[in-house]
């Protein structure tokens, strides 16, 4: 059995971005967008769950950093098979770049303590940087295997992984503990399990319970698994100067909505005459042929 | 000290094109900053590599030729690069946004606590005023990239931490030989001072890497399909037109994500950047992240159902209608009119 930590991020669904998506200071206005479980983090969760299938007794802890609302993806992960969730939330984290994020996550991982494997998505769709996984591995001083497509074998303290490269693949072997990032070609995450949905649908963080009714709270007193761990910066012993905007070496100087240099376009129809004219024109100009 | 350094990627017996493109960009940045251009190449079997790299105007070339550095694995390359950068203290480090660069870059940045910006589409030098402190910084690297799913373009700076690091995709910068006879000063650092036993724990059991059969970057005509193509089957229309015109087929990210075609064909910020003579965009709406990879095309034809698709603004010719109708006719009328 293994102890696995899965890193996940709640991301704005960048496929449906509106005009109020950005704030004046150049950071993302997350409140204005639908929030989803970052797709490749779901691939990472599935790789963890497959290990759990093979090795009963494996414990999977889902860790996310974000606003209070990010607890949504922890519940989502628990419905699909994660054993526990940890929310790392604090105003001090606001504006973190990838380096400050990886620092905060590494502090939380140290607080969780013992682990054999850390799994994370290769990249998040709101930034596409693919930086946080390797940066966390470096902070923890452990090896990394990026772009994992399949876990080929896991025996005692050695793992063998198939990595997807741009133009091929690689089979690598590494001793535990190791951080692995999952590629989108890894198996899709299994759906919610109905029994787990019933069990965990009232799982909440401390912040969420602050606004809950008394009888709701009473049910929590009896069932400790309904309490999602919530930590702030102080809880994980992180140094404030390394967090948030202050701890981020990269600053956004400027954000622009790009206006294209519009060309004078000639609009054609799909009629034979128009298309034949265009092909003649391209041939005459030696653009084609 | 305080120079511009390019990590040159040595894969399958040769330096990757993206590294030469970055050396060319690095040379112009170094000229602007009035500093030297350095290059770092790690691998095995590197005899004679200095001739190939020097031509791009490199002043100082660091070579580490050692079997522990080939094929690429994360930890040994990180250890050597970090160890060297601690001594040479470059102000800027550039790397290709490849499988290797995206694995190595964040590891180095985390170790050196320096800022890293992924997938830049432009790099410039400029000043920055910190509005909180009122302090002005001169000669910073502007790391310019579409952000947030490609809906905006952001300029990122690293005011205080060094090196300022950026990765760039293949094809974004143009490569240019400065002088065939230019000679870099070659330095061969002793890597044993940087490598530890525990850096060698990851073993490569098997590796299969093929050279790309698709040559988008050097194609003078590109037929590119987007989500609007609708299916993998409909992409066959694009292959037929490409075959007729002697063109190559490209795709937008949405089409790749939908599984219509391979990732290798992706054009845009997170794919490849192209500058063909003719770009035929089929069913592509034209997100910034796609435009970033094709805006320097000499002529653009957009075939789209939607008269308001943003890409139409960039197009010389817009054909409104269905691909299924239009592409077969393009093929027919091309054949009829070509001698």
């Amino acid at each position: 059995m293994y102890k696995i930590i899965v890193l996940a991020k709640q991301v704005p669904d960048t496929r449906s971005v509106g005009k109020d998506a950005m704030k004046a200071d150049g950071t993302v206005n997350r409140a204005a967008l639908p929030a989803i479980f970052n797709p490749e983090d779901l691939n990472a969760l599935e790789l963890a769950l497959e290990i759990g299938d093979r090795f009963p007794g494996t414990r999977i802890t889902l860790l996310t950093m974000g606003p209070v609302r990010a607890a949504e993806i922890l519940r989502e992960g628990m419905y699909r098979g994660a054993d526990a969730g940890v929310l790392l939330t604090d105003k001090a984290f606001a504006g973190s770049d990838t380096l400050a994020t990886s620092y905060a996550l590494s502090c939380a991982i140290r607080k969780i303590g013992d682990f054999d494997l850390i799994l994370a998505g290769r990249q998040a769709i709101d930034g596409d940087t693919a930086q946080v996984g390797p940066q966390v591995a470096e902070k923890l001083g452990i090896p990394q295997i990026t772009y994992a497509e399949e876990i080929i074998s896991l025996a005692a303290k050695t793992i063998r992984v198939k990595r997807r490269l741009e133009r091929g693949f690689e089979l690598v072997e590494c001793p535990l503990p190791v951080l692995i990032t999952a590629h989108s070609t890894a198996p899709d995450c299994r759906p919610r399990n109905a029994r787990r949905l019933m069990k965990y649908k009232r799982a909440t963080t401390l912040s969420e319970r602050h606004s809950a009714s008394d009888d709701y709270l009473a049910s929590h007193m009896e069932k400790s698994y309904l309490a999602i761990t919530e930590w702030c910066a102080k809880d994980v012993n992180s140094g404030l100067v390394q967090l948030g905007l202050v701890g981020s070496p990269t600053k956004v100087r400027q954000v622009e909505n790009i206006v294209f240099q519009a060309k004078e376009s000639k609009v054609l129809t799909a009629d034979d005459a128009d298309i034949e004219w265009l092909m003649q024109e391209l041939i005459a100009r030696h653009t084609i042929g | 000290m305080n120079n511009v350094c390019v990590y040159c990627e040595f894969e399958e017996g040769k330096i990757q094109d993206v590294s030469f493109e970055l050396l060319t960009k690095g040379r112009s940045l170094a000229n602007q900053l009035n500093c030297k251009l350095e290059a770092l190449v790690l691998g095995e079997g590197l005899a004679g590599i200095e001739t190939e790299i020097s031509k791009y105007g490199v002043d100082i070339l660091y070579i580490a030729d050692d079997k522990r550095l080939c094929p690429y694995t994360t930890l040994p390359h990180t250890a050597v690069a970090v160890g060297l950068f601690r001594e040479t203290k470059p102000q800027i480090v550039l790397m290709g946004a490849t499988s290797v660069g995206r694995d190595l870059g964040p590891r180095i940045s985390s170790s050196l606590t320096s800022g890293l910006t992924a997938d830049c589409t432009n790099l410039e030098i400029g000043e920055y005023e910190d509005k909180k402190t009122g302090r002005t910084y001169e000669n910073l690297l502007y790391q310019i990239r579409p952000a947030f799913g490609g809906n905006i373009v952001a300029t990122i700076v690293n005011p205080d931490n060094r090196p300022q690091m950026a990765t760039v995709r293949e094809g974004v910068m143009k490569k240019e030989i400065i002088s065939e006879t230019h000679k870099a000063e070659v330095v061969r650092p002793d890597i044993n001072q940087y490598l530890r036993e525990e850096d060698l724990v990851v073993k490569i059991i098997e590796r299969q890497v093929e050279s790309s059969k698709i040559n988008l970057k050097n194609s003078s005509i590109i037929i590119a399909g987007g989500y609007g193509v609708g299916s993998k089957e409909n992409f066959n229309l694009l292959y037929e037109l490409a075959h007729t015109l002697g063109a190559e087929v490209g795709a937008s990210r949405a089409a790749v994500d939908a599984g219509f075609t391979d990732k290798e064909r992706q054009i845009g910020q997170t794919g490849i950047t192209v500058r063909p003579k003719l770009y035929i965009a089929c069913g592509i709406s034209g997100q910034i992240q796609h435009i970033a990879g094709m805006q320097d095309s000499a002529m653009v034809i957009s075939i789209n159902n939607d008269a308001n698709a943003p890409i139409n603004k960039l197009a010389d010719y817009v054909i409104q209608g269905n691909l299924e109708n239009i592409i077969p006719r393009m093929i027919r009328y091309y054949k009829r009119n070509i001698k």
Side-chain angles (χ1 to χ4, degrees):
Chain A
M1 65 187 78
Y2 294 93
K3 294 192 182 68
I4 305 176
I5 298 171
V6 177
L7 307 181
K9 185 180 186 186
Q10 190 181 43
V11 290
D13 192 346
T14 49
R15 291 161 293 195
S16 55
V17 169
K19 287 209 168 8
D20 50 354
M22 305 303 295
K23 290 191 275 195
D25 64 356
T27 55
V28 174
N29 183 11
R30 285 173 202 279
L33 291 157
I36 58 169
F37 201 123
N38 179 52
E40 284 182 323
D41 298 344
L42 280 172
N43 297 109
L45 177 59
E46 179 58 27
L47 291 178
L49 292 170
E50 285 179 0
I51 293 171
D53 295 341
R54 278 191 260 171
F55 299 94
T58 290
R59 184 172 168 81
I60 300 169
T61 305
L62 198 56
L63 168 63
T64 191
M65 176 173 128
V68 171
R69 162 189 192 192
E72 291 164 8
I73 66 163
L74 297 178
R75 276 187 292 276
E76 182 64 43
M78 288 155 94
Y79 301 157
R80 294 173 190 244
D83 298 293
V86 176
L87 172 69
L88 191 57
T89 190
D90 197 311
K91 284 202 178 74
F93 299 140
S96 291
D97 70 358
T98 62
L99 196 74
T101 301
S102 67
Y103 171 70
L105 287 172
S106 68
C107 292
I109 291 166
R110 287 209 172 89
K111 167 109 179 180
I112 293 171
D114 197 19
F115 63 87
D116 301 295
L117 275 165
I118 299 174
L119 282 153
R122 171 186 55 149
Q123 63 193 43
I125 58 168
D126 55 347
D128 286 331
T129 70
Q131 286 170 194
V132 170
Q135 287 176 329
V136 168
E138 173 67 26
K139 298 249 177 286
L140 296 171
I142 59 172
Q144 70 195 41
I145 300 174
T146 48
Y147 328 127
E149 185 165 270
E150 190 185 348
I151 292 175
I152 303 292
S153 67
L154 178 57
K157 288 284 175 190
T158 304
I159 194 165
R160 204 175 260 211
V161 176
K162 185 179 177 191
R163 300 178 71 211
R164 171 58 47 187
L165 304 177
E166 281 159 310
R167 290 190 279 270
F169 72 90
E170 207 172 69
L171 213 59
V172 300
E173 191 178 277
C174 179
L176 304 183
V178 60
L179 184 146
I180 296 173
T181 71
H183 193 264
S184 56
T185 51
D188 287 336
C189 192
R190 62 197 64 184
R192 298 172 173 187
N193 170 296
R195 280 222 310 267
R196 298 188 68 94
L197 178 62
M198 292 311 290
K199 182 176 174 187
Y200 288 112
K201 69 179 182 189
R202 304 189 82 184
T204 45
T205 60
L206 193 62
S207 298
E208 288 171 320
R209 288 196 291 279
H210 278 153
S211 50
S213 63
D214 288 348
D215 55 331
Y216 181 77
L217 287 176
S219 75
H220 269 271
M221 303 293 274
E222 293 159 25
K223 298 170 182 162
S224 61
Y225 61 85
L226 290 179
I228 296 176
T229 305
E230 178 179 326
W231 288 334
C232 66
K234 217 170 102 190
D235 292 331
V236 298
N237 304 311
S238 49
L240 285 176
V241 292
Q242 284 164 275
L243 296 174
L245 276 175
V246 182
S248 299
T250 59
K251 314 282 180 203
V252 178
R253 177 182 165 267
Q254 181 184 308
V255 170
E256 290 173 286
N257 282 309
I258 281 294
V259 184
F260 302 129
Q261 281 290 65
K263 285 185 184 172
E264 196 130 331
S265 315
K266 190 170 169 63
V267 179
L268 306 174
T269 68
D271 293 346
D272 289 280
D274 272 13
I275 293 181
E276 181 153 29
W277 174 85
L278 178 63
M279 298 320 276
Q280 287 167 343
E281 179 80 5
L282 295 178
I283 292 167
R285 290 187 186 203
H286 303 290
T287 304
I288 56 175
Chain B
M1 301 277 270
N2 230 19
N3 292 325
V4 176
C5 185
V6 175
Y7 170 89
C8 294
E9 192 176 319
F10 184 74
E11 271 269 304
E12 301 296 298
K14 61 180 201 318
I15 302 286
Q16 298 298 294
D17 248 6
V18 66
S19 303
F20 294 133
E21 294 161 10
L22 287 175
L23 285 173
T24 305
K25 184 69 191 182
R27 181 68 264 170
S28 88
L29 295 175
N31 290 350
Q32 257 181 290
L33 294 166
N34 201 15
C35 69
K36 287 181 174 162
L37 174 63
E38 301 175 339
L40 167 63
V41 55
L42 310 178
E44 192 190 14
L46 301 178
I49 208 84
E50 54 270 32
T51 330
E52 216 182 324
I53 294 177
S54 290
K55 295 191 281 199
Y56 293 89
V58 175
D59 298 306
I60 306 172
L61 171 58
Y62 298 95
I63 300 177
D65 194 337
D66 190 296
K67 67 173 191 300
R68 292 171 291 179
L69 298 173
C70 192
Y72 168 86
T73 48
T74 315
L75 297 179
H77 278 241
T78 304
V80 173
V82 165
L84 195 69
F85 292 157
R86 286 219 163 97
E87 289 163 26
T88 59
K89 299 196 190 322
Q91 59 173 310
I92 292 172
V93 170
L94 307 178
M95 317 177 67
T98 57
S99 298
V100 168
R102 286 161 65 81
D103 182 82
L104 176 64
R107 194 91 200 192
I108 296 174
S109 92
S110 186
S111 178
L112 297 175
T113 328
S114 61
L116 168 63
T117 305
D119 298 331
C120 295
T121 51
N122 200 1
L123 298 170
E124 291 170 9
I125 301 294
E127 61 167 40
Y128 168 69
E129 191 197 336
D130 185 328
K131 294 202 172 69
K132 277 194 194 113
T133 61
R135 188 175 156 194
T136 301
Y137 297 77
E138 307 274 335
N139 291 329
L140 288 189
L141 181 68
Y142 285 177
Q143 301 147 48
I144 301 164
R145 75 179 302 243
F148 207 51
N151 294 282
I152 48 152
V153 173
T155 302
I156 313 289
V157 290
N158 310 346
D160 297 308
N161 302 46
R162 295 291 175 273
Q164 308 165 79
M165 295 180 65
T167 67
V168 178
R169 296 265 168 178
E170 184 184 343
V172 172
M173 307 296 175
K174 290 180 194 163
K175 67 171 179 180
E176 190 188 331
I177 289 171
I178 299 293
S179 153
E180 291 287 348
T181 55
H182 183 87
K183 288 247 181 316
E185 174 196 343
V186 176
V187 180
R188 297 178 189 274
D190 172 20
I191 62 167
N192 290 315
Q193 59 182 321
Y194 309 128
L195 271 183
R196 300 161 307 167
E197 195 60 40
E198 55 266 39
D199 291 325
L200 305 170
V201 292
V202 176
K203 304 252 179 311
I204 295 182
I205 308 297
E206 193 189 341
R207 189 167 204 271
Q208 280 186 26
V209 178
E210 292 174 3
S211 309
S212 177
K213 289 178 210 85
I214 303 163
N215 195 350
L216 274 174
K217 208 171 53 174
N218 297 321
S219 258
S220 63
I221 305 172
I222 291 172
I223 321 291
Y227 191 73
V229 173
S231 67
K232 203 170 178 167
E233 290 67 42
N234 277 359
F235 248 79
N236 288 331
L237 288 167
L238 275 58
Y239 291 114
E240 281 173 45
L241 180 60
H243 181 74
T244 307
L245 299 180
E248 191 58 89
V249 172
S252 74
R253 178 177 183 160
V256 172
D257 286 350
F260 297 167
T261 188
D262 303 330
K263 166 85 185 157
E264 268 193 273
R265 297 194 183 274
Q266 189 178 315
I267 292 168
Q269 184 208 1
T270 54
I272 197 160
T273 295
V274 295
R275 299 176 179 82
K277 207 160 68 168
L278 174 62
Y279 193 88
I280 305 181
C282 309
I284 292 179
S285 64
Q287 279 211 333
I288 291 174
Q289 90 101 10
H290 182 76
I291 305 284
M294 52 67 69
Q295 61 191 347
D296 293 335
S297 303
M299 181 190 283
V300 176
I301 297 174
S302 169
I303 306 175
N304 213 305
N305 268 328
D306 176 7
N308 298 317
I311 200 165
N312 291 355
K313 293 201 186 98
L314 284 185
D316 298 271
Y317 298 99
V318 175
I319 312 178
Q320 279 171 19
N322 286 323
L323 296 170
E324 293 93 325
N325 291 331
I326 294 166
I327 292 184
R329 285 187 230 184
M330 289 173 84
I331 294 172
R332 189 184 331 141
Y333 292 120
Y334 172 77
K335 286 183 176 162
R336 186 193 282 183
N337 287 285
I338 192 77
K339 270 132 206 134

